[in-house]
Amino acid sequence: MADDKDVLRDVWFGRIPTCFTLYQDEITEREAEPFYLLLPRMSYLTLVTDKVKKHFLKVMKAEDVEEMWFDFEGTSLKWHYPIGLLFDLHASNTALPWNITVHFKNFPERDLLHCPSNSVIEAHFMSSIKEADALKHKSQVINDMQKKDHKQLWMGLQNEHDSAFRNLRKH
């Protein structure tokens, strides 16, 4: 049986090969080529898709760009769910790469929350961590951490470093 540390490391460093394609009804100045990324399972779409946005903005007119959002086979992908969870919920039985459609118009107000900044993602992430810690450890892990440890955890997730993983294992 695998050691807990090995399982945690595999989950933390897991990646999903993904192909981003622009929605067919988006207005472009020229054809948009797909964009490929290895997405970290333990991150959020809105943290790792700046390159996707830059790629597709090259073929779009500025006036045709609104808030970017994603779907998989017609299902809007919630930014506040970790990438690995989104994949497991919607695409775990499909062939890789995971094909995600990129939209810049017609934001699905009824299905998705707006994500105005990375600070909103950080607040959501820390809230989720605190909730999980309360359920599993009666808040002992997060309460024992200093503010700088919380920041290091967030920066590790944002920058895809293993420092966040090491920090959690210390406590």
Side-chain angles (χ1 to χ4, degrees), residues 88-142:
D88 293 345
L89 286 173
H90 302 294
S92 61
N93 294 323
T94 62
L96 294 174
W98 184 18
N99 292 299
I100 293 178
T101 304
V102 179
H103 300 262
F104 287 99
K105 288 194 171 274
N106 303 319
F107 189 88
E109 301 279 344
R110 291 184 176 180
D111 298 331
L112 296 179
L113 299 172
H114 288 278
C115 182
S117 68
N118 279 4
S119 63
V120 171
I121 304 167
E122 179 180 6
H124 173 74
F125 171 72
M126 290 310 297
S127 177
S128 296
I129 292 292
K130 289 175 183 177
E131 183 178 5
D133 182 43
L135 292 171
K136 187 170 182 181
H137 304 288
K138 298 183 178 145
S139 300
Q140 292 173 342
V141 175
I142 291 295

Side-chain angles (χ1 to χ4, degrees), residues 20 35 37 39 44-58 68 70 102 104 117-118 121 158 160:
F20 292 90
F35 190 78
L37 277 177
L39 297 179
Y44 296 91
L45 280 172
T46 47
L47 286 180
V48 296
T49 51
D50 283 344
K51 292 177 184 177
V52 174
K53 187 173 188 174
K54 286 178 189 175
H55 173 78
F56 290 118
L57 287 179
K58 292 177 192 173
M68 185 172 68
F70 308 96
V102 179
F104 287 99
S117 68
N118 279 4
I121 304 167
Q158 196 171 18
E160 303 174 46

Side-chain angles (χ1 to χ4, degrees), residues 15 31 37 52 56 67 76 81 86 120 131 146 160:
R15 305 232 176 225
E31 186 177 343
L37 277 177
V52 174
F56 290 118
E67 186 172 354
S76 303
Y81 288 2
L86 288 170
V120 171
E131 183 178 5
Q146 297 177 3
E160 303 174 46

Side-chain angles (χ1 to χ4, degrees), residues 24-89:
Q24 63 192 15
D25 290 349
E26 296 286 348
I27 300 169
T28 60
E29 295 180 336
R30 63 183 188 278
E31 186 177 343
E33 295 291 322
F35 190 78
Y36 294 87
L37 277 177
L38 280 172
L39 297 179
R41 290 184 59 87
M42 295 296 293
S43 191
Y44 296 91
L45 280 172
T46 47
L47 286 180
V48 296
T49 51
D50 283 344
K51 292 177 184 177
V52 174
K53 187 173 188 174
K54 286 178 189 175
H55 173 78
F56 290 118
L57 287 179
K58 292 177 192 173
V59 299
M60 308 262 318
K61 292 180 182 174
E63 63 268 15
D64 293 326
V65 175
E66 296 171 9
E67 186 172 354
M68 185 172 68
W69 59 280
F70 308 96
D71 85 53
F72 172 70
E73 295 183 348
T75 301
S76 303
L77 298 176
K78 297 176 180 350
W79 66 262
H80 55 285
Y81 288 2
I83 292 167
L85 176 61
L86 288 170
F87 179 79
D88 293 345
L89 286 173

